[in-house]
Amino acid sequence: MIAEIISTGDEIRSGALVDSNSAHIAQKLEETGLEVVRHTCVGDDPDMLEAVFREIGGRSDIAVVTGGLGPTTDDLTAQAAANAAGVSLAVDNTALSSVEAFFKQRNFSMSPSNKKQAMLPEGADCLYNPVGSAPGFVLKIGNCQFFFVPGVPFEMRKMISDSVLPRIEKLQGGNRNFCMVKTISTFGLTESATGERLAGLTEEFPGIRLGLRAKFPEIQVKLYANGEDEDTLGELIENAAKRVLQKTGKKAFSSDGTPMEAVVGDLLNKKNATLAVAESCTGGLISHWMTNVAGSSDYFLFSGVTYSNDAKINVLGVSPDTLRQYGAVHEETAKEMAEGARRVAGAVYGLSTSGIAGPGGGTDEKPVGTVCIGLAAPEGVKGLRFNFSFGRRAMNKTIFAMTALDFLRRELLVS
Amino acid sequence: MIAEIISTGDEIRSGALVDSNSAHIAQKLEETGLEVVRHTCVGDDPDMLEAVFREIGGRSDIAVVTGGLGPTTDDLTAQAAANAAGVSLAVDNTALSSVEAFFKQRNFSMSPSNKKQAMLPEGADCLYNPVGSAPGFVLKIGNCQFFFVPGVPFEMRKMISDSVLPRIEKLQGGNRNFCMVKTISTFGLTESATGERLAGLTEEFPGIRLGLRAKFPEIQVKLYANGEDEDTLGELIENAAKRVLQKTGKKAFSSDGTPMEAVVGDLLNKKNATLAVAESCTGGLISHWMTNVAGSSDYFLFSGVTYSNDAKINVLGVSPDTLRQYGAVHEETAKEMAEGARRVAGAVYGLSTSGIAGPGGGTDEKPVGTVCIGLAAPEGVKGLRFNFSFGRRAMNKTIFAMTALDFLRRELLVS
């Protein structure tokens, strides 16, 4: 069965609000095995709403509509649905008692405009709203079952799970289809290089769909599979995932959506090791990421965001001679920063960045996008230099921080 | 003229990704006076793409399409557009030199699949992409001018402002309708409290539409006005903005969309003052924000992200007695941290945070959401305590960091 999603309202149509409802509904519908083929958004315009309902009523099996069920004059969905189905609006007793109960329970007084919310198209089946004043409803328009729910995200979510999905599963009878997704996160390959490494994958694993998503600075490899037997699908997708991991090697850092900072944190935890960081060009982003992980205080001890040379000398003990001889952006300086952070905090590992995020500060020898990374470990200290040219300051900070964490991740994997 | 927006790709269709591009494009198109009547999203399905392009080509004047211009096999937009227009794909020389320049500039080697990105529908007009490998294009399908741009948000944004909007304004000729928007950013009031303070505003300024947008942890007050005379509109919106600033007082921190960190950076710059930070619970977020501002190295000297007590003592010189007597989360500790950061870095101001971001670590006396903030200035040191109850770790870090910067901002305004 194919499904469509319709979001309504001038706020979304005009871009004042990002429509996150449709993504949620699409995920939930696809999990039941429905194929969501299209989303549509239109504003609070009764003719447009009616036309869209008729159009979709003529081509799909299931439609879920959000928004326009409130008490105000720009809430026009019920009337437009009635028009599209060729019926009238009438007071629905289930809907009326649901609205009345909502207000009574909260000791709110019910305004006349709330009564409007109990007017549903004739023949509609009321959907109870346990968390808001607007009831939803189910109505057949053309050959399509339409599910109307409010646009307020938490009301919509509750009604989708409590009322809409069970009814859809009933409509599907025994013919449930499963949809599985697996995400493998990689770092260090471009989108096209990733695609080339995975050439032939869908031929080798028939039934697998492959999607690549650039989620800067990662490239996510997504594997999708649909079918009726959950076990067969699970095996198929796991085998395909193994092949993706073989083909991407160390560029793959997680196969369940775990972000880089949690992968690094996990490796540190397993080794019972601790980390201190010295950041110049990344300006605190590495430590912000690392401390986003709950429980990171177990292994993350300290970061010195040393933007000035004085701070590098006073806090991290970088030698003024090194700074004079090589400058702030150099492997030697990065190595001393990493050693300094490690020593000051008494950590097992010290990781540092020094570079030029831009837009100013670049030279011919060290253009914007240059970053030096230092890694101090019990076995010794290493320094590396990279050059990226993404141009924008925020992107440079992000790729510098990711490169440093990836350097540490690979060290933790072999050490 | 009426416009539509089409987003393409299985990730958005299936709900794996929320479509924020369409909201951005809708806003920008409406600001030029176009009427955006509908958004559509379909997946990477060549027949569906072609059908949607034909459908919209038959009913609208302008369409903006995002996604599907990448180098991989699931990037199908150009072929579908060519089919809908009844033309073939051919190598476009402008597009080819644009792709080649992109790779050359970055010292990347160009893979054969990238050549595909230079294949455009015959008769299409190439849109240069200054920040990515995929060029866009303009193509007439039916009676509608279609603008195709990549789905990567920052590439899309750059191309909309640089290439798409100027072309649309040309198409509109002299009959331009202006839509003006002004955004006033506030911090420290809830959405409903902001709404109550602004009651009566639209009656006092007829022609102004008022929108409130919760962009955690800010509340943005948006003023919209439409009309043909740019000067009249400008005056109306400025007068309404003045009234908003009167009603929100010190809670308003910018009236042109400037983020808090840039407002604080600007105040520091104007005073010729410098800043050092000591962060515990914010884990580097304050320094990450501060260093996102280009030129911040002029006033931002250092942040010590001191997660461990040892780091607080060794790096910032916090007294072990203070930590023993009051604990890490306390105004007295925060004051010593702020003083320590200021002293170590030789900065004019020192700002610190110590608190409990959660999910663990809370007690009855100091529950998750507690944060202590210290501010050391030439005139002396202050400490404050707040309690927030947003629950999630990431939200707590954000509101803690914002509260600290707002404390510094208000100090800079009066000192």
Side-chain angles (χ1 to χ4, degrees), chain A residues 5 11-20 22-24 26-28 30 35-43 45 48 52 55-56 59 190-193 195-196 209-214 216 220 222 224 279-297 300-308 310-311 314-315 344-345 358-359 387 389-395 397, chain B residues 5 10-20 22-24 26-27 30 35-43 45 48 52 55-56 59 70-72 74-75 103 105-108 111-114 131 152 154 209 211-213 224 279-297 300-308 310-311 314-315 344-345 358-359 393-394 397:
Chain A
I5 297 168
E11 294 222 293
I12 293 174
R13 180 198 56 72
S14 68
L17 206 64
V18 169
D19 174 21
S20 57
S22 294
H24 176 81
Q27 275 192 334
K28 293 292 165 188
E30 292 237 321
E35 194 192 344
V36 176
V37 295
R38 187 164 170 171
H39 312 190
T40 302
C41 164
V42 290
D45 171 336
M48 181 65 103
V52 165
E55 180 186 316
I56 293 171
R59 68 179 179 222
T190 62
E191 186 174 347
S192 51
E196 281 158 25
R209 268 190 311 126
L210 175 69
L212 296 182
R213 184 179 154 212
F216 184 81
Q220 294 187 335
K222 297 218 165 205
Y224 304 86
E279 305 189 55
S280 186
C281 55
T282 48
L285 181 55
I286 295 178
S287 48
H288 171 48
W289 279 349
M290 290 301 294
T291 61
N292 277 346
V293 181
S296 47
S297 52
F300 185 79
L301 303 185
F302 168 67
S303 170
V305 182
T306 50
Y307 241 49
S308 66
D310 280 354
N314 297 337
V315 178
V344 164
N387 196 278
S389 39
F390 291 96
R392 292 192 329 170
R393 182 177 179 85
M395 293 180 87
K397 281 180 70 177
Chain B
I5 296 168
D10 280 336
E11 303 259 288
I12 293 174
R13 181 197 56 72
S14 67
L17 202 65
V18 169
D19 173 23
S20 58
S22 294
H24 176 82
Q27 274 193 335
E30 293 236 320
E35 194 192 346
V36 175
V37 295
R38 189 165 168 170
H39 312 189
T40 302
C41 163
V42 290
D45 171 337
M48 181 65 104
V52 165
E55 182 187 314
I56 292 170
R59 68 179 182 223
T72 61
D74 58 358
D75 289 305
F103 283 92
Q105 208 184 323
R106 281 152 184 86
N107 291 320
F108 288 171
S111 69
S113 60
N114 292 112
V131 288
V152 180
F154 84 93
R209 266 191 313 126
L212 295 182
R213 189 176 150 215
Y224 304 88
E279 306 189 56
S280 186
C281 55
T282 49
L285 180 56
I286 294 178
S287 48
H288 171 48
W289 280 349
M290 290 301 295
T291 61
N292 277 346
V293 182
S296 47
S297 53
F300 186 79
L301 303 185
F302 168 68
S303 171
V305 184
T306 51
Y307 241 46
S308 68
D310 280 355
N314 297 339
V315 178
V344 163
R393 182 177 178 86
K397 280 180 70 177

